[in-house]
Amino acid sequence: MTSTSTSLRIALLLTLSNAFLDPYTYLCRGGVFSTTQTANVVFFAAGLASQHWSAAVAKLWPILAFMVGVALATHIRTGRPFLMKRYPLRWVMALQAVVLAVVGFVPASVSPLAVTVAISFVAAMQMTLFRSVGDWAFVAVATTGDLMRFVEQGYAGIVKHDAGGRQGFRVYALMILTFAIGAVIGAITTRRIGTRAAWLPAAFVGATLLLLFREPE
């Protein structure tokens, strides 16, 4: 198995998991997005504009947690934390799987901030440490960038007859489709089983750990 094919499988699993989480937290954890912070920024601004202060602040905490997660993952990438020095992504994947598994046990009566902040934090660390498939950059928590690169690679492959462009076109098409599927599964599963739906993305993340043991970081 090549490095790129293994990385693609990991990327698809992570995309599936992250796409699942936003419908999950939006539908049963206080109407907040846990991974796609662009939406939270928009909702935060709208809350400020309409003077709904509590609603605005509810969107602010996941944004801050995401930023802290990115900062910590950036620090980990320097190799300074001894515990995570050799295999940082494996440690982060294990942490994320545990967090999501625990979240599934947290009842809906608990403040949704406790859940969304934790999910945003670990999602940010994951995104910072894993954001490429071979030569292609990607973001597992959103699809806007992938849509742009999908069109760019398609242009290179179809118009310029570039073999790399055609391969990139297929890769981004897979990731966009996976994101859409993950969001649909997240919405349907959350509506049916509620807070326990978090166990499914925990399983997706756990599956990435198995692949990571076959892929040098």
Side-chain angles (χ1 to χ4, degrees):
M1 181 180 294
T2 66
S3 174
T4 299
S5 64
T6 305
S7 296
L8 178 58
R9 293 180 184 183
I10 294 171
L12 293 175
L13 282 169
L14 295 183
T15 299
L16 194 66
S17 171
N18 286 308
F20 184 109
L21 288 171
D22 275 335
Y24 172 75
T25 55
Y26 186 81
L27 292 172
C28 76
R29 298 294 187 179
V32 176
F33 287 86
S34 56
T35 62
T36 307
Q37 300 307 316
T38 302
N40 286 334
V41 171
V42 172
F43 288 145
F44 172 71
L48 290 181
S50 59
Q51 299 183 359
H52 294 159
W53 312 120
S54 60
V57 170
K59 306 301 187 294
L60 179 61
W61 288 113
I63 298 170
L64 296 177
F66 192 89
M67 293 171 66
V68 172
V70 171
L72 180 57
T74 301
H75 181 66
I76 290 172
R77 288 174 64 186
T78 67
R80 292 174 186 172
F82 180 77
L83 183 64
M84 295 185 176
K85 188 172 183 178
R86 287 196 63 190
Y87 301 109
L89 189 56
R90 295 182 191 181
W91 285 102
V92 169
M93 289 296 99
L95 175 63
Q96 187 176 34
V98 170
V99 167
L100 293 176
V102 171
V103 161
F105 289 101
V106 177
S109 58
V110 173
S111 171
L113 280 179
V115 171
T116 55
V117 163
I119 294 176
S120 295
F121 175 75
V122 292
M125 294 183 67
Q126 174 224 104
M127 182 196 76
T128 305
L129 292 174
F130 188 89
R131 50 188 181 185
S132 65
V133 179
D135 296 329
W136 301 290
F138 92 109
V139 177
V141 301
T143 194
T144 303
D146 290 344
L147 284 167
M148 178 187 70
R149 297 181 188 102
F150 169 74
V151 175
E152 290 176 341
Q153 294 296 320
Y155 180 87
I158 297 170
V159 178
K160 296 186 176 181
H161 306 289
D162 178 69
R166 288 193 294 271
Q167 187 177 6
F169 180 77
R170 291 191 293 269
V171 167
Y172 285 117
L174 267 176
M175 288 192 285
I176 293 166
L177 178 61
T178 300
F179 191 93
I181 291 172
V184 170
I185 294 173
I188 293 174
T189 307
T190 302
R191 291 189 185 279
R192 289 187 176 180
I193 64 175
T195 57
R196 293 172 296 170
W199 293 336
L200 190 54
F204 295 152
V205 175
T208 66
L209 279 172
L210 299 178
L211 292 174
L212 283 172
F213 280 104
R214 305 173 63 181
E215 172 79 358
E217 292 192 58

